[in-house]
C-alpha cells in the first residue's frame, strides 16, 4: 500500500530524514517528487520508530524539505526478469539504455537475492575456457568460482574484460579424449555490470560485444561516471539478480563480470559519510567486508540445478597498493586473484598478467583428464617453476653480469623471455583453445634441459615434449 508524506526534516547529500511515518520497513522502495516536478526513486536505509532515513538514487539537488513528497511503495527494489534480457543494455537501475522497449518480465525479483544454504552448494569443478593462455594455462577459471582481476589505473583491464566476455565458454566433459574441449553451445551467457565508467568505456564494451555478435548472449548493466554515485550500489545487485534468473530458472552457465568494484566501494563510502557513520580503514565503512561478501557470495552452483554463476570482479588498486582495503578484503572473500603488472604493460606485453603472484585456488578441481588434458596440472607447475627460476637468473645477471651465470641459468633466463613474449603475450582478439595453450607450453619446454623437467611425469614428457631437432 502506498503512503505519501511531506514531513521531510533534513536533506544531506543523497539522504533524507522523513518524520511521522508508520509501517515503513528497511529496504522499502520510495518514490520522491521534488518541488520542480522531478521524480526520483530511493530506498529506506534505516527506520527508528517513526523516523525513516531515505536514500535517493538520483540525488536531491533542487529539493526543499517542506515541499518534497515522499511515497513509500510497500515493496523493495526489484528487477523484472525474462530470457528476453539477453542482447539488451540497461542502466544501473535496470531501465533500458539501448533505445529498445521495456522488458515484459516473467516475474519481479528482489535485487537482494536469497542466501544460498551452504549445504546446498555444489563444489566448482568444471573448466571455463577464457581463450587467454595466462589464465587458462596457469590460473584457470572454474565454473561457480569467483576469481577477481586486480588491476590499476592505466592498465588494460577493460580490454581484458571485453576479451573474456567475447571468448568465454564452458567446455564439455567427456571420458573420450577426442571430445574434451568442445564448447557447450547455447547454454552460456555473460552478464556485464559496469559501475562509474566513462561514456567512452561504455561505448567500447558495447561495440566490442556487438562486433563479434557476443551481445546476443550478453546482458549489460551500465552505470556511467556522470550517473548518480548512489545508483552504483544497486548496479551489481541488478546484474546478479539477472544472472540468478538465467542460471537457476533457465539452466544457463552465467559468467558475471563486475567492473569497477573500486567505484562501487567509493559510492558506499560516500553514503556512509553522509550518514555520519564511524569510518574504518581509509574512511570506508566498517561493514565493507560484509557488504562485499553479499555480492561475491552470490556466485556458485546449487545441487540439483543445471545452471551456475561464475564471477570475475575487476577492481583498480589505488596507487597499485595490494594492501588497500578493497583488494585486501576482496582477496579474503574470493578464491584467488589475477594480478595485472605495470612493468609488463610498459614493455608492451598484453595482457600484462603477473603470473607469479596470481592464484586460482580451485584450479586443480577444473583441470585434468576428462576436463582439459591429463598433463595440464604437471605442465602448469613446471611453467611456474621455470619462470620463477628464470626471473631469478635475470635478476642475478643484473647484479653479477651474464658471464657469471651457469649454462642452466642462461637457459632459464632465455625461457623467461620466451615465456613472456610468446605465452603471456597475446593479441587482444586472439582466442587460444586450451589445447593450443598447452601445446605452446610444451614448445617452451624445449628451451630447458630435459633433466630440469622435474615437475612433470616422465610419461607425459615422452608423449608431449616436441622433438627438439624437429
Amino acid at each position: 500500500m502506498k503512503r505519501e508524506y511531506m514531513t521531510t526534516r533534513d536533506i544531506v547529500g543523497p539522504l533524507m530524514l522523513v518524520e511521522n511515518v508508520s509501517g515503513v520497513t528497511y529496504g522499502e522502495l520510495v518514490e520522491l517528487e521534488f518541488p520542480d516536478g522531478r521524480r526520483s526513486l530511493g530506498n529506506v536505509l534505516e527506520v527508528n520508530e517513526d523516523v525513516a532515513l531515505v536514500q535517493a538514487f538520483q540525488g536531491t539537488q533542487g529539493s526543499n524539505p517542506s515541499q518534497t513528497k515522499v511515497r513509500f511503495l510497500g515493496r523493495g527494489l526489484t528487477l523484472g526478469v525474462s530470457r528476453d534480457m539477453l542482447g539488451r543494455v540497461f542502466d544501473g537501475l535496470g531501465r533500458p539504455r539501448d533505445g529498445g522497449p521495456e522488458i515484459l518480465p516473467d516475474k519481479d525479483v528482489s535485487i537482494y537475492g536469497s542466501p544460498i544454504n551452504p549445504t546446498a552448494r555444489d563444489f566448482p569443478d568444471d573448466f571455463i575456457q577464457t581463450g587467454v593462455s595466462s589464465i587458462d594455462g596457469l590460473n584457470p577459471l572454474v565454473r561457480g568460482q569467483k576469481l577477481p582481476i586486480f588491476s590499476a589505473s592505466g592498465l588494460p583491464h577493460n580490454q581484458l574484460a571485453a576479451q573474456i566476455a567475447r571468448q568465454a565458454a564452458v567446455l564439455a566433459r567427456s571420458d573420450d579424449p577426442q571430445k574434451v574441449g568442445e564448447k557447450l553451445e547455447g547454454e552460456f551467457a555473460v552478464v556485464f555490470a559496469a559501475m562509474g565508467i566513462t561514456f567512452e568505456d561504455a561505448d567500447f564494451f558495447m561495440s566490442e560485444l556487438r562486433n563479434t555478435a557476443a551481445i546476443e548472449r550478453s546482458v549489460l548493466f551500465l552505470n556511467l561516471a556522470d550517473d548518480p554515485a548512489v545508483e552504483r550500489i544497486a548496479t551489481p545487485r541488478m546484474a546478479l539478480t539477472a544472472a540468478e534468473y538465467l542460471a537457476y530458472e533457465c539452466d544457463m552457465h552465467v559468467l558475471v563480470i563486475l567492473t569497477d568494484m573500486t567505484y562501487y566501494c567509493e559510492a558506499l563510502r560516500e553514503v556512509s559519510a553522509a550518514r555520519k557513520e564511524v569510518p574504518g580503514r581509509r574512511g570506508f565503512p566498517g561493514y565493507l567486508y560484509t557488504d562485499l561478501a553479499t555480492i561475491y557470495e552470490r556466485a556458485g552452483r546449487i545441487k540439483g540445478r543445471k545452471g551456475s554463476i561464475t564471477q570475475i570482479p575487476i577492481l583498480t588498486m589505488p596507487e597499485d597498493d595490494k594492501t588497500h582495503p578493497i583488494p585486501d578484503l576482496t582477496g579474503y572473500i574470493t578464491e584467488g586473484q589475477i594480478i595485472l603488472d605495470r612493468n609488463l604493460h610498459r614493455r608492451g606485453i598484453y595482457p600484462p598478467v603477473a603470473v607469479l603472484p596470481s592464484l586460482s585456488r580451485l584450479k586443480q578441481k577444473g583441470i585434468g583428464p576428462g576436463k582439459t588434458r591429463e598433463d595440464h596440472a604437471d605442465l602448469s607447475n613446471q611453467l611456474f617453476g621455470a619462470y620463477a627460476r628464470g626471473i631469478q637468473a635475470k635478476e642475478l645477471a643484473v647484479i653479477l653480469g651474464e658471464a657469471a651465470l651457469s649454462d642452466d641459468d642462461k637457459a632459464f633466463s632465455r625461457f623467461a623471455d620466451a615465456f613472456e613474449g610468446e605465452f603471456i603475450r597475446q593479441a587482444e582478439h586472439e582466442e587460444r583453445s586450451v589445447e593450443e595453450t598447452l601445446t605452446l607450453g610444451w614448445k617452451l619446454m624445449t628451451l630447458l634441459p630435459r633433466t630440469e623437467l622435474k615437475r612433470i611425469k616422465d610419461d607425459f614428457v615422452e608423449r608431449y615434449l616436441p622433438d627438439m631437432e624437429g
Side-chain angles (χ1 to χ4, degrees), residues 138-452:
L138 301 169
N139 290 294
L141 181 64
V142 182
R143 186 166 67 90
Q145 184 181 10
K146 40 195 181 291
L147 183 64
I149 294 176
F150 288 5
S151 183
S153 178
L155 298 185
H157 47 271
N158 286 342
Q159 289 86 338
L160 182 57
Q163 185 171 7
I164 293 173
R166 290 193 310 266
Q167 299 175 175
V170 176
L171 300 188
R173 295 177 63 168
S174 175
D175 294 330
D176 182 357
Q178 300 299 322
K179 294 183 179 179
V180 173
E182 295 180 0
K183 293 183 180 181
L184 293 178
E185 298 294 340
E187 296 185 344
F188 194 77
V190 175
V191 175
F192 192 96
M195 294 153 280
I197 64 172
T198 64
F199 178 81
E200 182 181 7
D201 288 339
D203 186 62
F204 165 77
F205 285 123
M206 288 188 289
S207 61
E208 282 291 304
L209 295 175
R210 282 182 178 134
N211 290 343
T212 57
I215 190 73
E216 299 301 323
R217 63 168 189 174
S218 305
V219 185
L220 279 70
F221 292 85
L222 303 179
N223 168 266
L224 302 186
D226 61 346
D227 289 334
V230 178
E231 187 180 297
R232 271 165 225 157
I233 298 174
T235 302
R237 293 178 171 85
M238 288 281 176
L240 287 164
T241 301
E244 287 168 347
Y245 173 78
L246 294 173
Y248 305 134
E249 302 288 335
C250 302
D251 295 333
M252 302 183 77
H253 304 309
V254 184
L255 175 64
V256 180
I257 300 177
L258 305 172
T259 182
D260 183 331
M261 291 304 296
T262 298
Y263 295 140
Y264 168 83
C265 294
E266 287 174 350
L268 207 63
R269 178 171 61 179
E270 180 180 318
V271 173
S272 175
R275 293 175 68 178
K276 295 182 172 56
E277 294 173 334
V278 177
R281 279 197 297 160
R282 306 221 184 173
F284 289 95
Y287 51 81
L288 181 62
Y289 178 93
T290 305
D291 192 278
L292 288 175
T294 63
I295 294 175
Y296 297 146
E297 292 296 346
R298 291 173 75 171
R301 300 170 58 189
I302 298 178
K303 293 175 183 176
R305 302 288 181 94
K306 294 180 181 179
S308 62
I309 296 177
T310 307
Q311 271 191 40
I312 300 183
I314 299 173
L315 58 90
T316 51
M317 300 178 289
E319 300 175 358
D320 295 19
D321 182 10
K322 286 184 235 177
T323 67
H324 188 278
I326 301 172
D328 188 30
L329 298 179
T330 295
Y332 274 115
I333 302 167
T334 55
E335 293 121 6
Q337 63 278 328
I338 302 296
I339 298 178
L340 302 190
D341 183 72
R342 194 173 294 280
N343 289 328
L344 289 175
H345 179 60
R346 284 172 180 156
R347 285 156 50 197
I349 294 176
Y350 172 89
V353 174
V355 168
L356 298 182
S358 296
L359 170 69
S360 174
R361 294 190 179 97
L362 300 180
K363 74 173 183 177
Q364 299 297 339
K365 302 296 182 181
I367 62 177
K371 299 175 184 177
T372 54
R373 211 168 70 183
E374 58 184 355
D375 60 310
H376 193 158
D378 283 8
L379 179 61
S380 173
N381 292 338
Q382 185 64 64
L383 288 170
F384 266 117
Y387 182 52
R389 184 168 170 185
I391 293 295
Q392 201 172 34
K394 289 165 69 69
E395 291 173 349
L396 196 61
V398 172
I399 299 170
L400 302 177
E402 192 170 339
L405 299 182
S406 66
D407 289 342
D408 283 353
D409 284 338
K410 290 177 182 177
F412 278 103
S413 178
R414 288 193 296 272
F415 170 85
D417 289 334
F419 180 78
E420 292 176 351
E422 298 179 34
F423 193 90
I424 296 179
R425 188 194 297 272
Q426 187 172 339
E428 195 174 324
H429 288 269
E430 177 186 359
E431 180 178 358
R432 294 177 186 165
S433 68
V434 67
E435 188 80 20
E436 292 170 332
T437 292
L438 296 177
T439 300
L440 181 55
W442 278 108
K443 177 187 171 186
L444 293 173
M445 289 293 105
T446 62
L447 299 175
L448 302 176
R450 189 160 176 162
T451 55
E452 292 295 334

